[in-house]
Structures are given as C-alpha cells and as structure tokens.
Amino acid sequence: MVPPVITRFAPSPTGALHLGNVRTALFNWLYARRQGGRFLLRIEDTDRVRSSEESLAGLLGSLRWLGLDWDAGPGCEDDRGPYRQSARGALYEASWARLEAAGLAYPCYCRDDELEFARKAALAAGRPPRYPGTCAQLDAAGRAARLAEGRRPALRFRVPDGTVEYLDLVRGPQRFEGADLGDFVIRRADGDGAFLFTNAVDDAAMGVTHALRGEDHVANTPRQLLLIAALGAAPPAYGHLPLLVGAAGVPLSKRDRAGSVAALAADGILPDALLNLLGRLGHRYAHDGWLDRAGLIAGFDLGALGRAPAHVDPTQLRHWQKEAVAHADAGVLASWVRGVVPPGREAAFIAALRANIVLPEDAREWAPVVYGELPCATGELATLLAGAGPAFYAAALEGARAGDPYPALVARIRGATGKGGAALFKPLRGALTGRLDGPELAQLLAVMPPATMVSRLEAAARLATPAP
Ligand code: GLU
Ligand code: ZN
C-alpha cells in the first residue's frame, strides 16, 4: 500500500510573504490536493530575533487570501503538532540527546574567530572550507578544560564516511561525498536548533513524504538525509525548485514590493491570477489557458517540474489578472466599486465594463465617467462637439429622452443628420463621456442613467448653438 502523501509549507515568519514562498506553498498544496493527501503548515520561528508575530499574522492572512488551506498547522493542531517550532523544543532536546548518546554528535567548543581562522586557512590552501574536526575526539578531560575556560559548546553532527545519494524530484539523481560536508552544527552555542536540524527532525516527526522547496536549500539536503537516517526515520522525497527571478534576471528579494503578496493584494490582483502565474513558474501545465482551482490541481504533475530559471514577468501577471477578472464572481468585482458608483448599481456597472477592467483603479476611473459630473469641454473636444451641429444634438436628445437603446439611438441620429462613422461616433462619445477613448459606448450607455445622458447632451448642444 502506498502511504498517503503528506506535504508541508515551512515558512519563517521573518517578513512579508513573498512570491517565491507562495510558489513553494502552492506546489506543495497542489500536490497534496492532487493526491488526496495532507498539506501541513509549519512555522519555522526558531530565529527569535528575526521572527515576529506581525510577520506570522501577515503570512497566515496571505495564505488564507490565496485559499491555500492547510489540514494541520496553526489554528488547526493535531497529534503531530505543535506546528510552531518555538513550541517543539522538547522534541529537539530528545533528538540531540539520542544522537549524542549514540556518539553521532559531539560538543564543539570552537569560538567563531577560531572557526573563521580555520576556514580562511583552508581556502588559502585550496581545501574546501569545512569544519576541521577540532573537537571530534575530545575526551571528558578535554571537554571539562574547555568548559572551564568559559566556552559554551555547540553540538555537531558526526558525518560518516561514504556517499549520500538521492533522487531529486526536480534535478534528478544527486550524489555527495560525506568527506566534503564536514561535521555540521545541529545546536548552536546559544541552545537554539540549527535550521537544517529542526527542519529535518520535524519533517521526519510529521511524516512528510514530499518536500518541494527552493533551490537555495540544495546544499542542506545531504546533511538532512544523514540526520534523518541517524534518527532512524524515513526522509521525504525532496525537490528543489528553481528560484524566481525578476524582470532584470535578479532573484526576487524580500524587499521587492512587486514580489510581496500583501502589496499585490492591496493593488487588487486576484488570488487566482497569482495562482495561474505561479503554477507555471518551474512547472508546465499541459493546458496553457486559464485554469480554475480544480484545473490547477488536476493538471499538477511532479513530472512537469523544470529546472530553468523562472521569470516573474509583469506582462504575464497582467494577462492572468485579465483572465481572473473575466472569470471572477460578480460579487468580488462589485466590491471594487462600492462607494464609487451609486448604491445598487455595482453589479450592473461591472457587468457592462468587465472586459475593460483589469484592476480596481480602472473601475474607479470609469465610475465618474458614467455617473459623475463632466467638466466643461474645452480645446479640441469643444471644437469637435460644436462641429457636430444643433441637429445632431436635437436627434440625440430626442433618443435619450425616449429611452432609445444604443442601436436605436445611433439609427435615429443617422436618420436625422445623414452622419455615420467617425462623424457620428466621435461627437456622440465625446458628448456622453467627455473623452474620445474608452470602453465600447454601447456598454457605457447601458449603465448610464438617462438623466445623465440628457444633461450631457444638453451641455454639448449649447456648444453647438451659435451665440445669439
Ligand atoms: N524555513 C525554510 C525556508 O523558509 C524552509 C525550507 C524548507 O522548505 O525546507 O526557507
Ligand atoms: Zn570545535
């Protein structure tokens, strides 16, 4: 029997949720959902200085906004929890004790300056800068002597000789020499667990079967595999995703506003636009058009993960946002224009203008064009409106007062004036919207209150009437 798939997203709450993290969360979520498995959310908050409750709240909020729901995690604990590493100290203590008792880990009393010196010396001699093993064979007396000097020990994992091999879900077969790794720290001198230790111990304890994560963790993987093996547990299958890069080819950074989910949400980007974009960065869907959630899940395939650098392209984001608007619930878009169109008109306004709106700011731009007060026409526009002549506006006003639908209105003006083409449509649009570009006039007029049409046509008619 194949064990159920368990994936996880393991963010550190040290800043706003970033597109790179979201892509990682998304892929793990998609795979769990595709396989009918479980998706865990584990908060890696062992770095007490850089972690904050504020970042955590923002992170949870962004995940909820994206609809990436977790089966266990903060606010949804189960017997594999707690899901914050800061609350899992007892498990780490027990694992350190086991490793040390088995001789698989040992205290290291080296100070930072000594380690740095050894590192530089190794580099200068053309050797890999790994830990030289200074404390690997200390006996009880040697340890006591160093403690007496006031040194506080870190705990190092004793890397066995031999090779570490694994099959990366993205990068294929990988092979590392134990001798190149060097004994590494699993508990820092201040008592905190090292990232690669707590991360590996928790994956093992939580039964994680698949860990998709950023390429920046490749070097941790052989060490984590050794650790998990030393603890007698089964490791997840790891897959390392290519990092996301921005337009200029530089990796997206946490400080990049364009990469912050909260900032994009504040701009009005829809969650499904982001998911369609990110689902295709480092992964290829067989279908290249719009996918709803069910489609994103059904089409997700580990075999379609790729290694090429994944570019976050603003043009692509805009493309998916347009698609998302086209597919969005009317209620979502209506909320964009609440307060900027007359109450009760939101749904009709959105229905008329959906094809012309990409962001809430577009909707807010068009609301006054339909419902507001137009400024007096000046310059070129005034000249154009005046040039249409009094008969033009007489016919248009007759149609507006009669409640003509758009085609009837156009036919009425054509019948009365003989005008067609630009000579008809330009002044009509200019008179009714105050501008010469924009969404189809038929759509705008479908939502424009008749009284507004009448007063705008009257204003244009005054321009066309010669002064007495
Ligand atoms: N806390 C790590 C990070 O945010 C987790 C890495 C992993 O997914 O294993 O990069
Ligand atoms: Zn040492």
Side-chain angles (χ1 to χ4, degrees):
M1 207 191 80
V2 188
V5 163
I6 301 181
T7 67
R8 47 60 167 186
F9 176 48
S12 304
T14 55
L17 192 64
H18 191 265
L19 284 188
N21 302 128
V22 177
R23 197 266 311 253
T24 299
L26 173 65
F27 283 16
N28 285 291
W29 180 85
L30 286 171
Y31 190 58
R33 295 290 170 263
R34 176 79 184 90
Q35 299 296 320
R38 283 165 66 72
F39 173 66
L40 315 180
L41 176 60
R42 180 174 76 230
I43 305 303
E44 305 214 317
D45 57 349
T46 51
D47 185 335
R48 274 170 270 189
V49 179
R50 292 174 56 229
S51 299
S52 74
E53 290 303 312
E54 192 197 344
S55 292
L56 176 59
L59 202 146
L60 299 180
S62 289
L63 288 175
R64 289 199 186 97
W65 176 77
L66 286 159
L68 302 183
D69 54 333
W70 49 97
D71 302 303
C76 176
E77 295 285 344
D78 66 5
D79 57 358
R80 300 278 178 109
Y83 283 90
R84 290 180 67 156
Q85 289 192 324
S86 55
R88 297 176 65 81
L91 178 75
Y92 307 144
E93 295 288 348
S95 306
W96 287 319
R98 266 181 61 194
L99 292 172
E100 206 176 345
L104 299 172
Y106 60 86
C108 164
Y109 299 87
C110 300
R111 288 191 315 255
D112 286 348
D113 58 329
E114 293 164 337
L115 293 170
E116 185 54 24
F117 183 81
R119 208 181 71 85
K120 284 196 175 135
L123 284 175
R127 284 181 282 116
R130 52 186 167 69
Y131 179 65
T134 320
C135 306
Q137 310 300 339
L138 284 181
D139 58 12
R143 290 177 185 181
R146 283 165 179 75
L147 270 183
E149 284 175 29
R151 293 171 180 254
R152 291 215 291 162
L155 192 65
R156 278 187 194 270
F157 181 75
R158 202 185 290 279
V159 173
D161 290 337
T163 60
V164 185
E165 293 182 46
Y166 79 98
L167 185 63
D168 193 289
L169 296 171
V170 183
R171 301 156 68 90
Q174 304 288 309
R175 183 190 164 98
F176 300 84
E177 293 303 327
D180 292 337
L181 300 176
D183 296 349
F184 55 89
V185 170
I186 57 177
R187 186 185 66 219
R188 303 199 316 238
D190 63 8
D192 285 345
F195 156 75
L196 50 65
F197 172 82
T198 55
N199 180 269
V201 166
D202 284 344
D203 279 345
M206 293 175 178
V208 172
T209 59
H210 296 75
L212 298 172
R213 59 183 181 179
E215 211 166 56
D216 47 332
H217 290 291
V218 167
N220 292 323
T221 307
R223 297 174 172 87
Q224 295 189 304
L225 288 168
L226 289 172
L227 266 174
I228 292 173
L231 291 166
Y238 290 99
H240 293 90
L241 306 167
L243 297 185
L244 299 191
V245 292
V250 273
L252 281 191
S253 101
K254 281 207 174 187
R255 288 166 293 279
D256 226 335
R257 185 175 185 278
S260 147
V261 176
L264 292 168
D267 289 348
I269 295 291
L270 293 168
D272 284 4
L274 275 186
L275 299 195
N276 268 274
L277 177 80
L278 295 173
R280 293 171 164 97
L281 295 180
H283 175 262
R284 223 176 43 78
Y285 274 106
H287 175 64
D288 53 20
W290 174 256
L291 290 168
D292 62 10
R293 300 227 159 196
L296 287 167
I297 292 169
F300 186 78
D301 178 7
L302 290 183
L305 294 173
R307 285 197 62 171
H311 283 267
V312 177
D313 174 356
T315 314
Q316 285 290 319
L317 177 57
R318 201 171 159 82
H319 165 75
W320 292 119
Q321 170 73 2
K322 272 189 188 163
E323 290 282 329
V325 168
H327 291 87
D329 280 347
V332 171
L333 302 181
S335 73
W336 285 1
V337 293
R338 203 150 289 138
V340 297
V341 310
R345 301 260 176 183
E346 295 90 349
F349 179 79
I350 288 301
L353 293 178
R354 192 191 276 256
N356 297 94
I357 293 173
V358 180
L359 291 170
E361 67 189 41
D362 305 324
R364 290 196 278 268
E365 181 187 346
W366 285 105
V369 173
V370 173
Y371 300 108
E373 293 286 328
L374 289 189
C376 278
T378 54
E380 235 176 290
L381 179 63
T383 311
L384 176 89
L385 295 183
F392 181 93
Y393 296 108
L397 273 164
E398 209 175 270
R401 292 198 179 104
D404 278 357
Y406 179 71
L409 177 68
V410 169
R412 192 192 284 266
I413 300 170
R414 182 175 289 135
T417 63
K419 287 186 201 284
L424 190 161
F425 293 106
K426 274 180 129 183
L428 187 59
R429 176 185 284 277
L432 287 167
T433 68
R435 37 199 287 183
L436 297 175
D437 60 350
E440 283 189 33
L441 199 51
Q443 293 173 331
L444 290 171
L445 298 192
V447 284
M448 190 177 289
T452 304
M453 286 177 61
V454 168
S455 69
R456 291 179 179 187
L457 289 168
E458 283 172 348
R462 283 193 291 277
L463 292 172
T465 311

